[in-house]
Each structure stands twice: as C-alpha cells, then as structure tokens.
Amino acid sequence: MKVTTTIAETWGLLDAARAEGKSIGLVPTMGFLHAGHASLIKESAAENDVTLTTIFVNPLQFAADEDLSEYPRDLERDLRLCEDAGATVVLTPNVEEMYPYPILTTVSVSELSETMEGAHRPNHFAGMATVVSKLFHIGGRCRAYFGEKDYQQLAIVRRMVSDLSFPVQVVGCPIIREENGLAMSSRNTYLSIEQYAAAAVLNRALRSAAELALSGESDAQILRSHITEIIATEPLVSAPDYVAIVDAHSLKPVDRLAGDVRIILATQVGRPRLLDNIGVSISTLV
Ligand code: PAF
C-alpha cells in the first residue's frame, strides 16, 4: 500500500495503473475509520484492481460552531485499517494541498441539499459536494463508494455526477451497525457508555416503523409519530430534529407510502448529532 500526500503523486500512480489497463475504486473518507469504512474499502478492492482511499477532514463542510478542530483523528490506526481492508493507495493531503488559495469555486446541488441535513447545516452539502468533486478529479474515471448511512449525501453525490458528467460510477453500500443496532459513525466516539446504549433506540424505532409500513400502514404522519414516540422512551436521546419519509430517489417527502421510500432521521444524543435511516419497498399491485 502506498501513502501519498500530494495530488500530483496520486495522479502519477493512477495514470500508471490505468496505462496497465487497471480499474480504479475510490473511497473518500474523513478518517477515524471504523468497520463501516472498512466495508467500503473491501467492496472496492473486490471490484477494482486499485483502491484509492482518501483521508481528509474537509473544513468546507463544517460550520463555525461545529467540531472541526476536535474532529477525531488517528492516522496510524487508519492506515492499518486501510491496508487490512485492501486499499492500495491512501491519499492524506493537508488543507494547503487541497485548498492552496481561498476557495472561489464551489459546487452546490440545489433542492436536494435544502431539506433534512441541509436545513440544519446550511453550507454543509456545498462543502461536501465541492470536496467530493475535487476528489473525483483526483480519482478520474473510477467507481466511488459511499455508505447509505449518509443517505442524503449519497443522493446529492449521485445527482452531481449525473448533472456534471463525472466519469464516475457511484456505488451505495449498506449501513454497517454496532451489535446494538447503532449505525457506525466516527462521531459515536463522543458518546458515553450510557448514551451509546440509549442510541440503539434510533434503529429500533426505524425498524418498528418499517414493520408497521410493511404490515399495511401507509400514512407517513402516523409512521413519523410512531418513531417519535419510541424515541421519547429514551431520556438520553433528544426529540428528533426531523423524521422524514421521502421517495428513495427524489428525496421528496411522501404523505402515503408507495414504491421505494426511505425513512431518515437525525437527533442529538449528548454531544453528537446522529443520523440513521431505513429503506422500505412497498410493492403496488397492478
Ligand atoms: O462522508 C464523509 O465522510 C464525507 O462527507 C466525505 C464524503 C468524505 C467528504 O468529505
């Protein structure tokens, strides 16, 4: 496994690999890697000759009052995880390498970025889309792997790729969970033991709503209330910032469930804001 710190060196390695006819997989991360990231790297390594993992905590996607300076980091451990999972190149650029000048060019995906996380974190998705478009220019023609835990992010990246014709095939990968059902996230490290146990209620509530939907309840409002009530049974978990029931492709809210929908929520558990979601497919009889 090669570790690079510059874009030019990474381009050199990828150009050489392409000249030999090798396929490239890209796994963008912000580091402090866990089994969820490992699953993306493994998937890429299984489907491509070369897997480029990037580790870069992107300042553009943090608001002034968010945890940029305290965001957890452990490069040595991350590199071991990358190697074990099958990465062949790891790019770990610093901020000056990624943003040598104050940035004047940004990418924003309107509409999809304005709801849910976008409504709570106004510049987050433009910062994310901007760095991901840079990473796509670094990776070049490739398959790029993203977790479904950040479902809105995945939808925005897919749309950006389609709108701007990036030569990238976006691959969405299933959420990897802790034993108690909590979706894995680098920010879970902020949770106390009690909060970690309590946070399992998010997945329980989502699964319960999905079961209700599959047994015939199609009213989105009833399902949202069902989730909120279950979450309210855990005093360490705040009332959700939102519980959204959306079309899985357009992310538009639905009143009645039909076809592929996604139930997405975010809530504060102590210090971190946690996200989770579940997919439900309601087949319609014709
Ligand atoms: O999901 C993340 O870790 C980040 O948003 C990403 C895609 C690496 C961009 O910084």
Side-chain angles (χ1 to χ4, degrees):
M1 185 179 85
K2 286 218 156 45
V3 181
T4 59
T5 53
T6 67
I7 297 170
E9 193 186 356
T10 312
W11 271 331
L13 292 172
L14 298 185
D15 285 350
R18 276 195 196 90
E20 291 173 17
K22 292 186 171 160
S23 58
I24 314 288
L26 169 64
V27 183
T29 81
M30 296 209 300
F32 212 69
L33 306 179
H34 49 65
H37 298 108
S39 76
L40 303 180
I41 298 172
K42 283 181 189 158
E43 180 86 21
S44 170
E47 293 177 355
N48 303 283
D49 300 312
V50 170
T51 289
L52 166 65
T53 302
T54 61
I55 298 178
F56 178 63
V57 182
N58 172 37
L60 288 191
Q61 67 190 77
F62 287 75
D65 62 345
E66 290 181 344
D67 56 347
L68 173 61
S69 62
E70 289 154 31
Y71 194 81
R73 294 163 211 242
D74 188 341
L75 186 57
E76 256 182 50
R77 194 173 65 95
D78 286 351
L79 293 177
R80 278 200 301 276
L81 182 145
C82 288
E83 181 134 48
D84 291 347
T88 32
V89 183
V90 182
L91 169 64
T92 63
N94 62 19
V95 174
E96 291 69 37
E97 176 69 11
M98 288 297 276
Y99 302 120
Y101 306 103
I103 194 148
L104 301 180
T105 310
T106 57
V107 178
S108 62
V109 180
S110 62
E111 211 171 290
L112 291 180
S113 300
E114 284 149 20
T115 59
M116 297 186 282
E117 282 309 280
H120 286 82
R121 305 178 70 192
N123 297 315
H124 169 69
F125 284 128
M128 181 281 294
T130 301
V131 82
V132 170
S133 65
K134 282 178 75 85
L135 296 172
F136 284 173
H137 286 303
I138 296 168
R141 181 179 293 278
C142 65
R143 295 191 185 91
Y145 296 78
F146 290 83
E148 287 186 342
K149 208 248 324 158
D150 297 307
Y151 195 82
Q152 190 176 8
Q153 166 172 283
L154 174 60
I156 289 168
V157 169
R158 283 192 200 284
R159 185 58 184 258
M160 179 183 84
V161 163
S162 161
D163 285 354
L164 299 182
S165 304
F166 280 94
V168 172
Q169 183 190 331
V170 177
V171 184
C173 299
I175 300 174
I176 304 296
R177 297 183 178 279
E178 306 284 355
E179 261 180 35
N180 71 356
L182 175 63
M184 286 199 180
S185 162
S186 306
R187 288 188 169 101
N188 289 351
T189 186
Y190 297 141
L191 296 168
S192 68
I193 292 171
E194 295 76 18
Q195 289 164 343
Y196 176 91
V201 76
L202 303 183
N203 184 236
R204 270 206 313 281
L206 286 169
R207 279 193 291 117
S208 175
E211 278 161 23
L212 203 56
L214 291 173
S215 67
E217 180 54 73
S218 66
D219 187 324
Q221 183 50 46
I222 290 178
L223 294 169
R224 276 198 299 272
S225 305
H226 180 75
I227 290 172
T228 310
E229 278 161 24
I230 295 177
I231 291 177
T233 61
E234 271 299 349
L236 294 179
V237 177
S238 304
D241 289 342
Y242 59 84
V243 177
I245 304 189
V246 297
D247 176 88
H249 309 290
S250 69
L251 297 192
K252 290 209 187 326
V254 298
D255 292 331
R256 296 232 147 244
L257 276 68
D260 292 337
V261 296
R262 207 85 192 180
I263 312 178
I264 305 178
L265 58 77
T267 190
Q268 201 81 27
V269 183
R271 184 170 160 200
R273 230 166 131 261
L274 301 182
L275 308 184
D276 204 348
N277 67 78
I278 196 165
V280 185
S281 291
I282 311 286
S283 46
T284 39
L285 295 176
V286 280

